[in-house]
């Protein structure tokens, strides 16, 4: 095995373990293309999509890949190899395809990147992206509140992030690599967290990022800040209680809708205790769950939300003897919906300030990192043994 | 033993411990549903214990799939026999491995509450009319059942949290924390009756 290749694997594994300098930020998935792999090739299955022409698909994939490759501080690059009859399979052709019949991940899953290391000697990697054409309609711009109609470029850009080695981010609910599909098409554009990730994985020594420590080069509502080795324009995200809807999502964590047609909602975060919410905020009941809200400001009224989910007379239907008569009835927030509290809010969190401890998010990073030690340790031993040989 | 042979031996040893397994590649974009909507759209809701699993290459888009066989112990909604097979992409077959992170995994002997969507065998190039199943919303449709004294808690361990309704109807949020089974069951029952 070439020492360079092994060193590359080792360094990437170490990168995986060490991760970014922030505790909560982008997460590498573990698969990173090596310099000799660049440009990474891809093809588009000639079956195309029932909803989009092949010409549209080619343009959309080109734009989605370019969103990543044109970040100044990265060297990641791709090369389109044209249309192909090849289906997604465990091979070295990286195929983008739609599954119009026989989608096997269920109706709520929009796309998936599946990959495997075929061999290490030489390194051969399989990586394909498939999209759910069976139960979803794909239309440029998406369907707004109709979540059965999906914006292709948003999902393509997200899946390409996986293809390049990024996992879902813990840090920014409005990032391209946030796990959720956001119907406002905002995921077509990378957030600072996405750019930080791609630049850490594929650093370009000739660039220091998109700004030079001053805010002048950044768009309004963003400020220049250093993340890792580069400077990025860091967006000011909306804080707890700020307005959001299916056309506008700029939440640090998540947008919870308060109207069935998704035309109104508020930014918040699931929580189990006040400590999950950070300074100046509390964990308060909302419907059947608890959400973070600013102190002395109640979450919006939950009645429009799902008034029938806390009925005490429902039975579980299971034979487990534990009967809960539903104290949850009192968990419905009683305060008035007041989405105008946004004026009182100035709590857009910066990445370093994101509160930790919400049970809904803390599980995502540590298992992977502990797994990676099993890879790193033997490789380190092996590499050391190789170095000591005469 | 030559240098090259030692290197190969070492890599084979790594492989024996699963360390040359595929990279843990992340996978999916998911529309998240509240629990009631999840139940409303489910074909089958049950509690079962994992009694077997088997991986093989299938004629479907993700190549290698793993069949998880559950002994059914309780059914909330839908018709099913004594066992049910949950088929998910990923696994090892003939020395090759596929990992689709974001896809839940199961442990032998554990008991799970599953909200499932049926997929006909033709999707995998097979004949017959007995469906395989996939958890709705992947890990969103999976809870591990754990006993705490007289209490049974349903614990959901998915890593990604979003709050969108896949049906475009009433939107709620899906808790990921430990929930009393009776409370979760009541919500699922209400959704299944919609």
């Amino acid at each position: 095995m070439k020492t360079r290749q092994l060193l590359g694997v080792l360094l990437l594994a170490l990168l995986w373990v060490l991760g970014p300098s922030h505790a909560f930020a982008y997460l590498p998935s573990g698969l990173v293309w090596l310099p000799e792999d660049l440009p990474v090739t891809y093809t588009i299955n000639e079956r195309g999509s029932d909803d989009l022409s092949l010409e549209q698909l080619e343009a959309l994939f080109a734009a989605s890949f370019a969103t990543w490759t044109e970040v100044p501080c990265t060297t990641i690059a791709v090369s389109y190899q044209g249309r192909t009859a090849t289906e997604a399979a465990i091979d070295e052709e990286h195929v983008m395809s739609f599954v119009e019949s026989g989608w096997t991940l269920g109706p709520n899953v929009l796309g998936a990147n599946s990959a495997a290391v075929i061999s290490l000697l030489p390194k051969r990697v399989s990586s394909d992206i498939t999209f759910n054409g069976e139960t979803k309609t794909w239309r440029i711009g998406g369907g707004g509140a109709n979540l059965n109609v999906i914006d292709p470029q948003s999902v393509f850009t997200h899946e390409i992030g996986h293809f390049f080695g990024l996992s879902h981010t813990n840090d920014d609910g409005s990032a391209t690599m946030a796990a959720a599909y956001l119907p406002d098409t905002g995921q077509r554009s990378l957030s600072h967290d996405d750019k930080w990730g791609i630049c850490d994985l594929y650093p370009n020594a000739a660039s220091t990022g998109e700004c030079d420590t001053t805010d002048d080069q950044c768009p309004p509502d963003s400020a220049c800040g250093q993340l890792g080795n580069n400077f990025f324009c860091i967006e000011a995200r909306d804080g707890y209680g700020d307005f959001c809807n299916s056309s506008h999502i700029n939440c640090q964590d998540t947008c919870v809708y308060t109207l069935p047609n998704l035309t109104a909602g508020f930014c918040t975060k699931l929580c189990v205790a006040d400590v999950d919410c950070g300074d100046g905020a509390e964990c308060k009941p909302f419907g059947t769950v608890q959400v973070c809200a600013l102190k002395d400001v109640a979450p919006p009224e939950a009645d429009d939300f799902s008034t029938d989910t806390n009925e005490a007379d429902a039975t579980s239907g299971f034979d487990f003897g534990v009967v809960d008569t539903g104290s949850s009835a009192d968990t419905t927030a009683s305060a008035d919906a007041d989405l105008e509290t946004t004026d009182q809010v100035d709590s857009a969190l910066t990445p370093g300030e994101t509160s930790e401890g919400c049970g809904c998010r803390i599980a995502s990073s540590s298992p992977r990192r502990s797994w990676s030690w099993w890879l790193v340790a033997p490789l380190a031993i092996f590499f050391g043994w190789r170095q000591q040989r005469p | 033993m030559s240098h090259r042979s030692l290197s190969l031996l070492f890599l084979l040893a790594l492989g024996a411990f699963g360390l040359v397994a595929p990279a843990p590649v992340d996978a999916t974009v998911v529309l998240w549903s509240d629990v009631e909507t999840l139940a409303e759209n489910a074909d089958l809701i049950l509690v079962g214990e994992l009694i077997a699993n088997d991986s093989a290459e299938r004629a479907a888009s993700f190549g290698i799939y793993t069949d998880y066989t559950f002994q059914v112990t309780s059914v909330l909604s839908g018709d099913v026999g004594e066992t049910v097979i949950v088929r998910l992409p990923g696994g090892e077959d003939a020395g090759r491995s596929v990992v689709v992170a974001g896809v839940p995994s199961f442990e032998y002997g554990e008991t799970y509450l599953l909200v499932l969507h049926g997929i006909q065998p033709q999707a995998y190039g097979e004949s017959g009319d007995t469906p395989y199943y996939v958890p709705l919303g992947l890990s969103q449709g999976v809870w591990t059942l754990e006993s705490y004294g007289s209490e049974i808690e349903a614990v959901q361990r998915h890593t990604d949290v979003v709050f969108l309704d896949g049906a475009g109807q009433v939107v709620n949020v899906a808790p990921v924390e430990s929930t009393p089974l009776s409370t979760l069951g009541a919500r699922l029952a209400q959704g299944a009756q919609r």
Side-chain angles (χ1 to χ4, degrees):
Chain A
M1 185 177 189
K2 293 177 183 177
T3 301
R4 187 180 171 207
Q5 277 188 316
L6 185 59
L7 183 61
V9 171
L10 179 64
L11 290 175
L12 293 172
L14 281 170
L15 175 64
W16 166 251
V17 172
L18 299 175
S21 54
H22 282 278
F24 281 75
Y26 81 87
L27 286 171
S29 68
L31 172 65
V32 181
W33 302 99
L34 296 177
E36 53 263 39
D37 298 325
L38 304 183
V40 184
T41 59
Y42 75 95
T43 56
I44 298 174
N45 185 279
E46 64 188 12
R47 285 183 293 100
S49 156
D50 285 358
D51 304 322
L52 300 162
S53 70
L54 274 167
E55 289 74 19
Q56 285 178 307
L57 286 178
E58 287 176 323
L60 287 164
F61 276 113
S64 302
F65 274 107
T67 299
W68 291 98
T69 60
E70 290 178 356
V71 176
C73 50
T74 184
T75 57
I76 190 66
V78 294
S79 173
Y80 177 48
Q81 302 295 297
R83 302 171 186 178
T84 181
T86 304
E87 302 288 343
I90 304 174
D91 57 27
E92 290 179 87
E93 183 170 345
H94 311 130
V95 183
M96 314 288 122
S97 64
F98 276 74
V99 177
E100 300 294 345
S101 176
W103 176 249
T104 58
L105 285 175
N108 284 14
V109 179
L110 305 180
N113 170 223
S114 60
V117 175
I118 301 171
S119 70
L120 283 177
L121 291 174
K123 177 174 168 287
R124 297 170 59 220
V125 173
S126 167
S127 186
D128 301 304
I129 304 177
T130 50
F131 299 92
N132 177 0
E134 184 173 54
T135 65
K136 299 300 175 192
T137 299
W138 297 77
R139 182 187 305 154
I140 295 172
N146 180 357
L147 296 176
N148 288 313
V149 180
I150 305 300
D151 176 51
Q153 194 171 337
S154 297
V155 181
F156 291 2
T157 308
H158 177 104
E159 291 301 330
I160 288 167
H162 289 318
F163 182 80
F164 286 152
L166 290 171
S167 186
H168 292 149
T169 180
N170 279 328
D171 189 55
D172 185 355
S174 298
T176 294
M177 295 314 293
Y181 168 72
L182 305 180
D184 68 345
T185 70
Q187 286 171 305
R188 293 179 178 183
S189 304
L190 304 185
S191 75
H192 68 273
D193 192 79
D194 302 310
K195 294 171 187 171
W196 179 16
I198 200 69
C199 291
D200 266 9
L201 293 182
Y202 308 96
N204 179 359
S207 170
T208 58
E210 57 185 348
C211 53
D212 61 0
T213 75
T214 64
D215 298 343
D216 299 345
Q217 296 165 291
C218 293
D221 298 325
S222 67
C224 190
Q226 185 170 10
L227 299 169
N229 295 321
N230 293 288
F231 288 87
F232 299 95
C233 296
I234 300 173
E235 306 87 359
R237 294 298 188 206
D238 295 338
Y240 300 148
D242 282 359
F243 180 81
C244 59
N245 66 14
S246 62
S247 300
H248 170 78
I249 300 172
N250 188 40
C251 301
Q252 181 67 43
D253 289 289
T254 193
C255 177
V256 170
Y257 302 101
T258 52
L259 292 176
N261 60 8
L262 313 190
T263 55
F266 67 100
C267 294
T268 187
K269 182 168 93 171
L270 275 182
C271 54
V272 293
D274 290 346
V275 69
D276 300 336
C277 300
D279 294 338
E282 296 174 327
C283 187
K284 300 178 181 180
F286 181 78
T288 57
V289 296
Q290 297 189 106
V291 299
C292 293
L294 294 181
K295 286 180 179 174
D296 305 321
V297 179
E301 178 66 61
D303 283 346
D304 287 336
F305 206 67
S306 181
T307 56
D308 60 352
T309 56
N310 296 323
E311 293 293 331
D313 58 355
T315 57
S316 75
F318 294 114
D319 303 325
F320 283 103
V322 180
V323 178
D324 184 344
T325 55
S327 59
S328 53
D330 61 7
T331 62
T332 300
S334 58
D336 293 338
D338 184 8
L339 297 175
E340 302 204 1
T341 56
T342 53
D343 290 341
Q344 303 171 32
V345 178
D346 187 20
S347 63
L349 299 173
T350 61
E353 295 169 343
T354 304
S355 62
E356 300 181 15
C358 176
C360 52
R361 292 200 184 255
I362 57 176
S364 59
S365 60
S366 54
R368 293 179 182 180
R369 289 169 188 238
S370 61
W371 176 92
S372 60
W373 276 109
W374 291 95
L375 178 63
V376 172
L379 283 174
I381 294 167
F382 176 61
F383 190 68
W385 168 77
R386 285 284 306 268
Q387 292 291 86
Q388 290 178 7
R389 283 185 60 83
Chain B
M1 188 176 286
S2 71
H3 187 157
R4 181 182 177 84
S5 299
L6 277 172
S7 299
L8 190 59
L9 185 64
F10 180 82
L11 287 166
L12 287 173
L14 287 180
F17 287 96
L19 300 177
V20 191
V25 178
D26 219 332
T28 54
V29 186
V30 176
L31 291 174
W32 234 256
S33 297
D34 61 284
V35 168
E36 290 79 6
T37 303
L38 205 67
E40 181 182 3
N41 295 324
D43 295 319
L44 190 58
I45 305 173
L46 59 83
V47 170
E49 178 185 340
L50 182 65
I51 58 173
N53 64 284
D54 179 49
S55 299
E57 186 154 9
R58 313 287 180 187
S61 51
F62 296 103
I64 296 172
Y65 287 75
T66 298
D67 286 354
Y68 297 94
T69 303
F70 290 87
Q71 181 77 47
V72 178
T73 57
S74 182
V75 178
L76 176 65
S77 174
D79 296 320
V80 68
E82 292 183 355
T83 61
V84 65
I85 296 177
V86 172
R87 176 171 285 181
L88 288 168
E92 296 182 31
D93 180 59
R96 297 186 304 170
S97 301
V98 169
V99 170
V100 185
V103 169
S105 59
F106 303 96
E107 293 187 20
Y108 184 83
E110 288 284 328
T111 299
Y112 296 89
L113 190 163
L114 302 168
V115 178
L116 300 172
H117 171 77
I119 294 178
Q120 293 303 311
Q122 287 74 24
Y124 308 98
E126 301 175 10
S127 58
D129 55 7
T130 301
Y132 297 98
Y133 291 91
V134 61
L136 260 180
L138 298 179
S139 56
Q140 194 190 1
V142 178
W143 287 264
T144 305
L145 298 188
E146 300 176 0
S147 295
Y148 297 94
S150 61
E151 296 284 333
I152 297 177
E153 291 283 309
V155 181
Q156 193 164 54
R157 292 196 172 87
H158 61 70
T159 58
D160 306 314
V161 180
V162 291
F163 309 93
L164 298 181
D165 177 12
Q169 302 298 316
V170 175
V171 178
N172 203 338
V173 289
V176 294
E177 290 299 303
S178 176
T179 308
L181 176 62
S182 52
T183 301
L184 177 62
R187 295 183 64 189
L188 289 170
Q190 281 198 328
Q193 289 167 10
R194 281 181 186 173

